[in-house]
Amino acid sequence: MSLCEQYFPDEPKAPVVVSTENPKTKAATASLDKVFDARAASFVADYSKSVGNYICDVDGNYYLDVYSQISSIPLGYNNPELIKVAKSEKMIRAIVDRPSLGTYPGKDTEEIVSEILKVAPKGQDKLWSALSGADANELAFKAVFFWYQSKKRGYKTNFSESEITSVMKNQAPGSPELAILSFERAFHGRLFATGSTTCSKPIHKLDLPSFKWPKAEFPSYKYPREKYVEENAAEDKRCLAIVDTLFKTWHCPIAGLLVEPIQSEGGDNHASAEFFQGLRDLTLKHGALLIMDEVQTGVGATGVMWAHEHFNISPPADLVTFSKKFQSAGYFFHDPELVPNFAYRQFNTWCGDPARMILGGAIGAEILKHDLATKAQKVGGYLFSKLEKLQEKYPKYMKDLRGKGRATFIAWSLEDSATRNKFLVDMKKAGVNIGGCAEDSIRLRPTLLFEEKHADVLLERIEHVLSSY
Amino acid sequence: MSLCEQYFPDEPKAPVVVSTENPKTKAATASLDKVFDARAASFVADYSKSVGNYICDVDGNYYLDVYSQISSIPLGYNNPELIKVAKSEKMIRAIVDRPSLGTYPGKDTEEIVSEILKVAPKGQDKLWSALSGADANELAFKAVFFWYQSKKRGYKTNFSESEITSVMKNQAPGSPELAILSFERAFHGRLFATGSTTCSKPIHKLDLPSFKWPKAEFPSYKYPREKYVEENAAEDKRCLAIVDTLFKTWHCPIAGLLVEPIQSEGGDNHASAEFFQGLRDLTLKHGALLIMDEVQTGVGATGVMWAHEHFNISPPADLVTFSKKFQSAGYFFHDPELVPNFAYRQFNTWCGDPARMILGGAIGAEILKHDLATKAQKVGGYLFSKLEKLQEKYPKYMKDLRGKGRATFIAWSLEDSATRNKFLVDMKKAGVNIGGCAEDSIRLRPTLLFEEKHADVLLERIEHVLSSY
């Protein structure tokens, strides 16, 4: 019996589509919209009936879910092991007695943090916790800026009088002009500093003031990659040269470089280990820190716990941010000097949510116990080879299939935005909840309990839809 | 039997101080600090033993807690009603099946939102949810900027081509220069945009890039206020004139004005209803929105559910942000045009945390059911009159006693930072956990189940400490 069968004996064998008109979703969405913006709602779910890889809606449809709440459900709906954790005394206390973890940590805080650190990326042994992916990235930026200025003045040196007075007017030298470098097509969140680093779609950014921070080009590879080795290596080189130039010529110091191991929202854009090592080398050359944004790529989906571990970057990234499938958020790091030189600098009321941190630790433990990252590799390999066959058959609707060797973290492009959107709608009618990325692409983000039988259902439904085009 | 006695039959009658050396806290803090910055830890708590208004530490001390996790525990530690909610099916599902509320709301989402709206400030009937006070404020800023630009181009008008292309480079017109006006001594959070509006202490801001947004002066009243009516009215007028001038002269449009009903972290600085009505009038005059930051002041502590309701501002504030004692976060509003003109603008993966939203709704229901805001008014009045007596006796250590008529939301100043800090330490040795604000002040932030008997303990311990000076 597979792990998924053990956990979810009642999981449907196939999607159940009782209504493609979704009258109950329509009524519930209209009603919700009066008090809470519901215009982006795909459907209204019934989580009490959702199970494993299947999400149920209020009309009674059961969709195979390969989007997983925008890549954030790790172990299926109503996972019995997580329900146990949710019922534990520790969790109940974390909910009702939410501590200010910085000021009044609990006697279980160290254990909660240590559980999370058991799955930290190689080279990382410290944690700071946050509340979302965007929050994790902004706290990482703060750590980077604190570090950069501390290096300049000396780690133990106190602030100057002119820094202390100028900062209260948001002026230099207390509030210096410093930048984070990110990439075109990157997505790092939608707060104001993260929004300034995000560069995937205008709708994320329009009408918002921003920091004038630099964007480099991220490699645009030709697929299949094994066929275009030389071209793609040249592309790496071209993009690394742009990064180097930006470091040298930007009008203010660049204190940190922020990058996703695979640009996800921006289109599942991949780059080579050599490219990432090149970025690491450039940050060292220019005295900046390297932040790996693993918010979407982390937690097993690419066949290893953290996607950037595929690259064996040396020395390791300085900060690694996480959220989504980990259900908690924050960043890992190893350099003690990334702890600011004084207390109360990296600080806020709650400093994380222990309820979500407990869940994160439990998710990590399940992944280790059942080696779910390796299992994702296996099922991902199976799925990818079948998708390659489909691609041969329907080349117009499956372009640039990507994610080989990256487990179930797979994507492809269609001709344009309209065709992609139609495909999403048709897949839903066929009983599969699936997500897009960039303007013209499909991204697969199933849970870590997605098995070959689910892959077969997915493939069959894709073929069903594409054969009708 | 009082409500507190019903809920917490085992609550200590008085603080228990078994050790002022705190050897176990010292060991636990040192150990935690290896993996998680613990330098700001006051002590390591044992939440399993904490009860009602008393927090227990790992050394076995029971402190009367009048700081409540930086003003964020509403109904006491291990409140049995909240424990029931934490054990409910609805909560368990919210924990293990955390939805993307914007894309896949659950069938209970409307009910969860509606529970929160039952305690919304007068005039507000819509909600957007966030994850912390800083997050709530930044999302409110986004709503303000979206609104401001939509007014300019027409609510239903699409973006121009030059907006769409320029925004991807973080340039105008797509990323316009717009400002939020806030006040000196304000605290609104520590992310990058909120950090640019915060102006209470340099340590919150040093070394971080910021938006160059304007700061007005917040009134500095003379106390007792009933003695200095004319002087304080003149101070209001002076500060309102500064705001008016900033609107007229700032180098870019000011789209929103952000203010706390009582500046909390910055020193419990009060202002009159007339001052706040003046701010409302100025925002209308200059075409900007008014954001009331109720993160610390909200949820009953000032004797009404939302502190700004003391001011009867008309028309009501445009957005009211909340977090802390509500355990969930977000903003209330009423203008349908504060919902952005297109979907996916005010959006992120989770759009709030339903687990914390369920808790927020339950907290609001308890406050209504037991009329806890009115009860806080009564106990606050009792406490304030006794503190006035202590002030007469120890005027050197209790200056500018403030918060009359604001329930338990009470503060006073000492001579300087060193004396204040010594007082905090001595109070802890006397079994009371208490908090500071500004450089020289004490703020009281007890739970809403703080009763006269707790006030008596607090008063007795304050006198015990002050009589030793």
Side-chain angles (χ1 to χ4, degrees):
Chain A
M1 198 189 281
S2 77
L3 190 62
C4 187
E5 281 159 358
Q6 284 175 48
Y7 279 155
F8 306 113
D10 299 330
E11 189 186 66
K13 305 286 172 231
V16 179
V17 181
V18 296
S19 162
T20 57
E21 291 302 311
N22 290 26
K24 289 185 183 164
T25 268
K26 279 177 190 157
T29 305
S31 184
L32 175 60
D33 197 59
K34 288 176 192 153
V35 291
F36 191 86
D37 184 2
R39 289 171 301 171
S42 183
F43 51 80
V44 176
D46 185 341
Y47 291 104
S48 69
K49 293 183 181 153
S50 301
V51 52
N53 293 281
Y54 284 83
I55 185 167
C56 178
D57 72 9
V58 286
D59 288 289
N61 300 305
Y62 280 84
Y63 305 102
L64 176 67
D65 192 0
V66 294
Y67 197 29
S68 310
Q69 307 293 328
I70 317 182
S71 194
S72 76
I73 291 284
L75 303 175
Y77 293 103
N78 292 309
N79 183 291
E81 286 301 314
L82 297 188
I83 289 175
K84 269 186 221 161
V85 174
K87 289 180 173 175
S88 68
E89 283 296 313
K90 191 194 268 191
M91 177 68 84
I92 289 164
R93 258 197 315 275
I95 291 181
V96 304
D97 300 329
R98 185 171 185 176
S100 298
L101 285 176
T103 322
Y104 307 101
K107 69 173 182 176
D108 58 4
T109 303
E110 185 180 351
E111 186 194 322
I112 292 169
V113 169
S114 301
E115 276 301 300
I116 293 176
L117 282 171
K118 281 184 186 161
V119 293
K122 268 176 233 159
Q124 312 294 356
D125 59 4
K126 291 174 180 59
L127 178 78
W128 189 244
S129 51
L131 298 172
S132 70
D135 192 33
N137 280 329
E138 296 222 349
L139 297 187
F141 298 172
K142 288 174 70 169
V144 165
F145 293 132
F146 294 152
W147 174 91
Y148 190 88
Q149 294 296 89
S150 291
K151 284 277 169 198
K152 264 175 55 181
R153 77 165 74 77
Y155 186 72
K156 290 286 179 194
T157 308
N158 216 327
F159 308 104
S160 71
E161 194 51 41
S162 73
E163 285 174 320
I164 287 171
T165 51
S166 61
V167 76
M168 297 306 271
K169 300 181 187 299
N170 292 353
Q171 299 294 340
S175 173
E177 211 181 338
L178 296 173
I180 300 287
L181 186 150
S182 63
F183 290 87
E184 292 177 6
R185 296 181 288 159
F187 185 89
H188 300 291
R190 295 158 157 257
L191 296 169
F192 286 83
T194 45
S196 304
T197 60
T198 285
C199 194
S200 51
K201 289 185 189 133
I203 196 77
H204 303 145
K205 299 162 67 79
L206 279 156
D207 293 344
L208 301 177
S210 58
F211 291 110
K212 310 308 174 200
W213 290 347
K215 303 285 170 295
E217 284 186 52
F218 193 84
S220 288
Y221 284 168
K222 290 189 170 154
Y223 289 86
R225 281 169 68 179
E226 54 272 29
K227 202 174 144 189
Y228 296 101
V229 173
E230 264 178 51
E231 290 88 337
N232 293 340
E235 175 69 353
D236 284 349
K237 221 172 142 185
R238 186 183 73 84
C239 293
L240 287 169
I242 293 171
V243 173
D244 195 31
T245 303
L246 283 169
F247 267 114
K248 284 180 198 157
T249 60
W250 196 249
H251 67 90
C252 71
I254 294 170
L257 185 153
L258 174 68
V259 66
E260 299 155 274
I262 302 165
Q263 288 190 325
S264 307
E265 166 68 22
D268 273 27
N269 309 313
H270 292 255
S272 67
E274 292 72 22
F275 176 73
F276 285 98
Q277 186 61 50
L279 294 181
R280 167 79 283 189
D281 296 342
L282 286 171
T283 54
L284 292 173
K285 174 179 166 189
H286 295 290
L289 295 178
L290 176 62
I291 315 170
M292 296 296 312
D293 177 340
E294 289 266 16
V295 168
Q296 183 149 173
T297 49
V299 193
T302 70
V304 292
M305 191 68 192
W306 304 100
H308 77 279
E309 295 180 313
H310 286 292
F311 310 140
N312 279 312
I313 300 166
S314 173
D318 300 297
L319 302 105
V320 179
T321 58
F322 60 89
S323 182
K324 287 205 181 247
K325 267 198 294 299
F326 217 47
Q327 296 286 305
S328 57
Y331 60 83
F332 297 110
F333 63 108
H334 60 272
D335 180 352
E337 295 203 350
L338 277 172
V339 178
N341 51 358
F342 299 105
Y344 290 108
R345 300 190 71 190
Q346 188 68 290
F347 188 80
N348 55 63
T349 297
W350 284 324
C351 301
D353 184 340
R356 295 293 171 190
M357 292 165 76
I358 290 166
L359 205 69
I363 289 162
E366 279 289 295
I367 292 172
L368 290 184
K369 182 176 169 192
H370 301 291
D371 198 9
L372 295 179
T374 307
K375 282 188 175 134
Q377 243 173 47
K378 203 164 152 272
V379 68
Y382 173 81
L383 176 60
F384 197 91
S385 65
K386 300 269 188 177
L387 287 168
E388 284 179 316
K389 296 238 155 51
L390 277 179
Q391 189 183 24
E392 284 167 27
K393 205 163 161 187
Y394 304 101
K396 199 173 149 190
Y397 299 103
M398 294 191 69
K399 293 158 56 169
D400 295 348
L401 182 66
R402 44 206 189 269
K404 193 171 200 167
R406 293 297 177 261
T408 59
F409 210 93
I410 296 171
W412 65 89
S413 302
L414 287 89
E415 281 199 303
D416 52 30
S417 181
T419 320
R420 190 276 307 271
N421 293 345
K422 178 173 161 44
F423 179 75
L424 291 176
V425 169
D426 291 339
M427 284 298 287
K428 190 171 157 229
K429 286 182 183 161
V432 179
N433 186 47
I434 195 166
C437 59
E439 296 297 336
D440 58 1
S441 297
I442 294 295
R443 57 178 149 174
L444 301 184
R445 297 292 184 271
T447 74
L448 297 172
L449 295 168
F450 181 86
E451 300 180 342
E452 285 191 13
K453 65 179 181 187
H454 305 108
D456 288 336
V457 170
L458 171 64
L459 291 158
E460 187 258 318
R461 301 287 154 141
I462 293 173
E463 174 130 41
H464 170 79
V465 167
L466 292 187
S467 64
S468 77
Y469 286 178
Chain B
M1 197 190 280
S2 77
L3 189 62
C4 187
E5 282 160 358
Q6 284 174 48
Y7 278 155
F8 306 112
D10 299 330
E11 189 186 65
K13 304 286 171 234
V16 179
V17 181
V18 296
S19 162
T20 57
E21 291 301 313
N22 290 28
K24 288 183 184 165
T25 268
K26 279 177 190 158
T29 306
S31 184
L32 175 60
D33 196 59
K34 287 176 193 155
V35 291
F36 191 86
D37 185 2
R39 288 171 301 170
S42 184
F43 51 79
V44 176
D46 185 340
Y47 291 105
S48 68
K49 293 184 181 154
S50 301
V51 52
N53 293 281
Y54 285 83
I55 185 169
C56 179
D57 72 10
V58 287
D59 288 289
N61 300 306
Y62 280 84
Y63 306 102
L64 176 67
D65 192 359
V66 293
Y67 197 30
S68 310
Q69 307 294 327
I70 319 183
S71 194
S72 77
I73 291 285
L75 303 174
Y77 294 103
N78 292 308
N79 182 291
E81 287 299 315
L82 296 188
I83 289 174
K84 268 187 222 162
V85 174
K87 288 180 173 174
S88 67
E89 283 297 312
K90 190 194 269 189
M91 177 68 84
I92 289 164
R93 257 194 319 273
I95 292 176
V96 305
D97 299 329
R98 185 171 185 177
S100 299
L101 284 177
T103 321
Y104 307 101
K107 68 173 184 178
D108 58 3
T109 302
E110 185 180 350
E111 186 194 323
I112 293 169
V113 169
S114 300
E115 276 301 299
I116 293 176
L117 282 171
K118 281 185 186 161
V119 293
K122 268 175 233 159
Q124 312 294 354
D125 58 4
K126 291 175 181 58
L127 177 79
W128 189 245
S129 52
L131 298 172
S132 70
D135 192 32
N137 280 329
E138 297 222 348
L139 298 187
F141 299 172
K142 288 175 71 169
V144 166
F145 294 131
F146 294 152
W147 173 90
Y148 190 88
Q149 294 296 89
S150 291
K151 284 278 170 199
K152 264 176 51 181
R153 75 164 76 77
Y155 186 73
K156 290 286 178 193
T157 309
N158 217 327
F159 308 105
S160 71
E161 195 50 42
S162 72
E163 286 174 320
I164 288 170
T165 51
S166 61
V167 76
M168 298 305 273
K169 298 179 186 304
N170 291 354
Q171 299 294 338
S175 173
E177 211 182 337
L178 296 173
I180 299 288
L181 186 151
S182 63
F183 290 88
E184 291 177 5
R185 296 181 288 159
F187 185 88
H188 300 291
R190 295 157 158 259
L191 295 170
F192 286 84
T194 45
S196 303
T197 61
T198 284
C199 193
S200 51
K201 288 183 190 137
I203 195 77
H204 303 144
K205 298 162 68 79
L206 279 155
D207 292 345
L208 300 177
S210 58
F211 291 110
K212 309 308 175 199
W213 291 346
K215 302 286 168 297
E217 283 186 52
F218 194 84
S220 288
Y221 285 167
K222 290 190 169 153
Y223 289 86
R225 279 168 70 178
E226 54 271 30
K227 202 174 144 187
Y228 297 100
V229 173
E230 264 178 51
E231 290 87 338
N232 293 341
E235 176 68 353
D236 284 349
K237 221 173 142 186
R238 186 182 73 84
C239 293
L240 287 170
I242 293 171
V243 173
D244 194 31
T245 302
L246 283 168
F247 267 113
K248 285 181 199 155
T249 59
W250 197 250
H251 67 91
C252 71
I254 294 170
L257 186 153
L258 173 69
V259 65
E260 299 155 275
I262 302 165
Q263 287 190 326
S264 307
E265 165 69 21
D268 272 28
N269 309 312
H270 292 255
S272 68
E274 291 73 22
F275 176 73
F276 284 98
Q277 185 61 50
L279 294 181
R280 166 79 282 189
D281 296 342
L282 286 171
T283 54
L284 292 173
K285 175 178 166 189
H286 295 290
L289 295 178
L290 176 61
I291 315 171
M292 296 295 314
D293 177 340
E294 288 266 15
V295 168
Q296 183 150 173
T297 50
V299 193
T302 70
V304 291
M305 190 69 192
W306 303 99
H308 78 280
E309 294 181 314
H310 286 293
F311 310 140
N312 279 311
I313 301 166
S314 173
D318 301 296
L319 302 105
V320 179
T321 58
F322 60 90
S323 181
K324 287 204 182 248
K325 267 199 293 299
F326 216 47
Q327 296 287 303
S328 57
Y331 60 83
F332 297 110
F333 63 109
H334 60 274
D335 181 351
E337 295 203 351
L338 276 172
V339 178
N341 51 358
F342 299 105
Y344 290 109
R345 301 190 69 189
Q346 188 70 287
F347 188 80
N348 54 63
T349 297
W350 284 323
C351 301
D353 184 339
R356 294 294 171 191
M357 291 166 77
I358 291 167
L359 205 69
I363 289 162
E366 279 290 295
I367 292 173
L368 290 184
K369 182 177 170 190
H370 301 290
D371 199 10
L372 294 179
T374 307
K375 281 187 176 138
Q377 244 174 47
K378 202 163 154 270
V379 68
Y382 173 82
L383 176 60
F384 197 90
S385 65
K386 301 269 188 177
L387 287 169
E388 283 180 316
K389 297 237 153 53
L390 276 180
Q391 188 182 25
E392 285 167 24
K393 206 162 160 187
Y394 304 101
K396 199 173 150 190
Y397 299 103
M398 294 191 68
K399 293 159 54 166
D400 295 347
L401 182 65
R402 46 206 187 267
K404 192 171 201 167
R406 294 295 177 263
T408 59
F409 210 92
I410 296 171
W412 66 88
S413 301
L414 287 91
E415 280 199 304
D416 52 31
S417 181
T419 319
R420 191 275 308 270
N421 292 345
K422 177 173 160 46
F423 178 75
L424 290 177
V425 169
D426 291 340
M427 284 299 286
K428 190 169 157 233
K429 285 182 183 161
V432 179
N433 185 47
I434 195 165
C437 59
E439 295 298 338
D440 58 1
S441 297
I442 294 294
R443 58 178 148 174
L444 301 184
R445 297 292 183 270
T447 73
L448 297 171
L449 295 169
F450 181 87
E451 299 180 342
E452 285 191 13
K453 66 179 180 186
H454 304 109
D456 289 336
V457 169
L458 171 64
L459 290 158
E460 187 259 316
R461 301 287 155 139
I462 292 173
E463 173 129 43
H464 170 79
V465 167
L466 292 186
S467 66
S468 76
Y469 286 177

